[in-house]
Every structure is written in C-alpha cells, then in structure tokens.
Amino acid sequence: MQIISDVKISEFKEFIKSHDFFYVAGHKDPDGDAVYSCLAMADFLDAQGIKYQLISAGPFKRPEIREKANFFSKEMTFLSEPERKKSGLIILDCSEMARLGEIEGDLNGLDTFIIDHHKTAEVSSNCIIDSTSPATACLVQQIYEKILGQVPKKTAEHLFFALSTDTGYFRFLNADSAEVFVQAARLVEAGANPRKTYDEMTGGKPYSTRKLLGIMLDRVERRYGNKLAVTYETMEDTKAWGQEGRDSDALYSLLLSVDGIEAVLFVRQDTELTCTCGFRSRDKVDVSAIAAKFGGGGHKNAAGLSIDGKIPDVLEKICAEFKKVL
C-alpha cells in the first residue's frame, strides 16, 4: 500500500477550505467499507465544525451495516443557489456518479473530490485513488492523521470495521501488506476492538440468508476444467429468501475453498430485464478486467457489475470471457 503524497493531502485540504458544506456519498447497495468510510469522513468534518450531509441510495441489506442506515438520507438537503456554489461533494469507495444510485436531488455540477481504491477507477483531478490500498478506509485514515493527527476512538472503530470487512478480516491481504497492519495497529491503539469487530461482522445473520445460501450452493456448476464455479439467484428466490439480504461473502469463500476452483461467478436477476453480477477469484484471474468489458469494475480478485438481460444469456456472455483466461 502506498502512502498518500503531501501534494494530494494539500489538494484535499484546499478542497475542504474552499467550501462551507459537503455532501458525503458512497456507492449504492453499500458494503462495510463504503458505509464506515463515510462515517469516518463525517467524523473528520465534525472535528472541524464543518457542516455536511451523509447521502446514500441504499439499500442497507447487509446485517453488519443495517443499523447505520439512519445516519444516511436518500434526499439531499435543499440548498439555495448561493449555498450550492459554496458546497462540495465527497465520493467515497467509487469513482462514477452512476454508481451512487438514485439520490433525490441534483448532484450534477457540484465541485467533487473522489477517494477510492478500486483498480478500475479513472479520474484525472480532484481525487485520491490508490488501487494498492485494500480499502478506502486506509486512505481516509491517512487523510485524518495527516491533517488532524491521531484518530479518536469512535473514528478508529469506524475505520477498523471498514478495513476488516473489505479485507475479509485480513484474509485477502498479501505479503506486501505490512503498512496495512501498521495502520490497523494504530486504530487498535486508539480503541478499536478486533474481537468485537469480528463478532459484528460475522454474527446476526438472518435464517433466510442460510436458506438462500443453500439454494445457490445446490445450483453450482463447474466449467472449464472445473476452474470456474457458476451459480445464480432468481427473482423468485429473492422474494422467498432474499428480502433481508444475502450472505455473498460466505458463498464466495466456500466456493473458492474448493480444490481447483480459480474463480466464482454469481448472477442475480434484479428485475425482468436487468441482472447484477459478482465475481471473485484467486491470485491469477483478474476479474476486474472481465467486469470492465461489461461496464463494471472493482479489484483484481473482487469485482461486479449491473447488466441488461436475463440469467441464461448473461451467464453465457460472461462465461465466454472467463473461458479466454481459464
């Protein structure tokens, strides 16, 4: 993981100084990194007496983030035109406006700063983007520490939770991750509790998510020399078992633990005409490159996208791309 340069820190400081109010937003269908990085950024603004609003299109289906939904709004606070000119937008954990989802209000034209760690993020200015960082939270932590000093306990808890969720409680880190653990150690010193964080991440799963997990596991097919595991979720499945969310992390973990499996493809039919797809892989397969071919993105070993079509057609289109690399 790289350390944010002083030049980039100065750019962000100037961005903050140039505005009186901020909208702070993460991507739609948020995960722990998106939600808790936003909360940590809110702590950063609170510490300076700066006004802001946390916005998110949701939905907050994951059990580990559900209780934080009340901190966010889908509807932007109304600002007069003079107020709007003095306001900024901070986007965390994604780089595309479309990924923010349906927000009630007009985000267009706002001076924007993006903080993201996805490999497929492409922004030329007003950004801190580092694809070597395992979580957006690592970047937010550096920003806080470089500008304000040591983080307080509440912020440390937010940042440690975000980091833990995006790294699978550090399982996805490689041998070059010493700096990540150095940062994590500072969060623990500030009051973050590793055991409590793990319990919050892994506990409280609804019974329905286990039923849905069983259905998806039962449907799994292996392709291309048993290197790719493929499964799907229909709208009927969602209606019966997926209203409270799903345990996708457990699905990916179980399938990647199978001998010979190098990648996993999961497709969910969201509407009659659209699907959401999730990809996971071991070290060799770059699923972000495959996702990018269909307008999606992510990391080398974890990516996703939304696509028009029905499950059978979508599966065949994406599997054709996996076939080229497996």
Side-chain angles (χ1 to χ4, degrees), residues 64 134-135 157 159-174 180-181 184 188 192-203 249 253:
E64 66 271 21
E157 290 172 340
L159 291 168
F160 191 83
F161 192 95
L163 172 62
S164 297
T165 55
D166 237 33
T167 61
Y169 209 72
F170 306 99
R171 289 180 295 120
F172 305 146
L173 296 178
N174 294 315
V180 179
F181 285 96
V188 175
N193 186 323
R195 180 174 181 174
K196 179 182 177 183
T197 299
Y198 183 79
D199 288 343
E200 290 174 349
M201 285 174 55
T202 58
D249 291 340
S253 179

Side-chain angles (χ1 to χ4, degrees), residues 36-319:
Y36 282 83
S37 288
C38 284
L39 290 171
M41 180 56 65
D43 294 340
F44 172 81
L45 297 173
D46 274 332
Q48 301 170 83
I50 299 172
K51 296 181 180 180
Y52 64 89
Q53 181 190 22
L54 293 171
I55 55 176
S56 174
F60 288 72
K61 286 187 175 182
R62 302 170 189 243
E64 66 271 21
I65 64 170
R66 193 173 296 147
E67 67 173 17
K68 300 302 182 183
N70 61 323
F71 288 92
F72 294 79
S73 175
K74 290 184 179 181
E75 184 177 352
M76 294 169 60
T77 296
F78 175 78
L79 300 175
S80 65
E81 193 57 33
E83 290 173 327
R84 187 178 172 86
K85 289 180 179 179
K86 296 180 180 180
S87 299
L89 170 63
I90 302 173
I91 299 177
L92 296 147
D93 206 36
C94 73
S95 60
E96 306 87 10
M97 291 289 287
R99 284 276 288 138
L100 299 183
E102 297 182 3
I103 301 293
E104 296 180 25
D106 184 13
L107 290 171
N108 295 313
L110 287 169
D111 194 13
T112 302
F113 201 102
I114 292 170
I115 303 171
D116 191 17
H117 73 124
H118 291 96
K119 183 178 180 180
T120 49
E122 294 182 5
V123 181
S124 58
S125 61
N126 263 22
C127 67
I128 294 175
I129 295 176
D130 177 14
S131 62
T132 70
S133 177
T136 296
C138 290
L139 304 176
V140 176
Q141 180 181 351
Q142 290 184 51
I143 290 168
Y144 196 114
E145 291 175 337
K146 284 177 175 288
I147 296 176
L148 299 181
Q150 183 177 1
V151 300
K153 180 180 178 182
K154 183 178 75 169
T155 308
E157 290 172 340
H158 289 159
L159 291 168
F160 191 83
F161 192 95
L163 172 62
S164 297
T165 55
D166 237 33
T167 61
Y169 209 72
F170 306 99
R171 289 180 295 120
F172 305 146
L173 296 178
N174 294 315
D176 59 352
S177 302
E179 181 58 36
V180 179
F181 285 96
V182 171
Q183 281 197 203
R186 293 201 297 270
L187 297 177
V188 175
E189 287 177 347
N193 186 323
R195 180 174 181 174
K196 179 182 177 183
T197 299
Y198 183 79
D199 288 343
E200 290 174 349
M201 285 174 55
T202 58
K205 306 293 185 184
Y207 169 76
S208 59
T209 65
R210 292 302 183 253
K211 293 289 290 186
L212 183 57
L213 179 60
I215 292 169
M216 291 188 289
L217 288 172
D218 188 53
R219 287 191 182 132
V220 172
E221 295 179 4
R222 292 184 293 175
R223 301 190 182 190
Y224 314 129
N226 294 336
K227 295 179 180 179
L228 176 67
V230 178
T231 191
Y232 61 90
E233 176 185 329
T234 67
M235 292 176 67
E236 290 74 22
D237 296 330
T238 304
K239 183 177 181 180
W241 303 108
Q243 299 296 325
E244 292 187 80
R246 56 193 50 76
D247 197 354
S248 301
D249 291 340
L251 174 69
Y252 295 130
S253 179
L254 286 168
L255 293 179
L256 286 175
S257 70
V258 175
D259 185 34
I261 293 294
E262 295 184 13
V264 176
L265 166 61
F266 165 61
V267 178
R268 180 177 72 245
Q269 190 82 48
D270 289 324
T271 71
E272 293 291 346
L273 301 174
T274 62
C275 291
T276 295
C277 307
F279 311 151
R280 295 294 186 275
S281 69
R282 296 185 184 277
D283 291 339
K284 296 180 181 179
V285 181
D286 185 350
V287 291
S288 70
I290 295 175
K293 293 183 178 182
F294 299 94
H299 312 287
K300 178 182 177 182
N301 301 124
L305 59 89
S306 296
I307 187 172
D308 293 338
K310 293 183 178 292
I311 288 174
D313 294 334
V314 169
L315 278 176
E316 293 312 311
K317 286 180 183 178
I318 297 176
C319 281

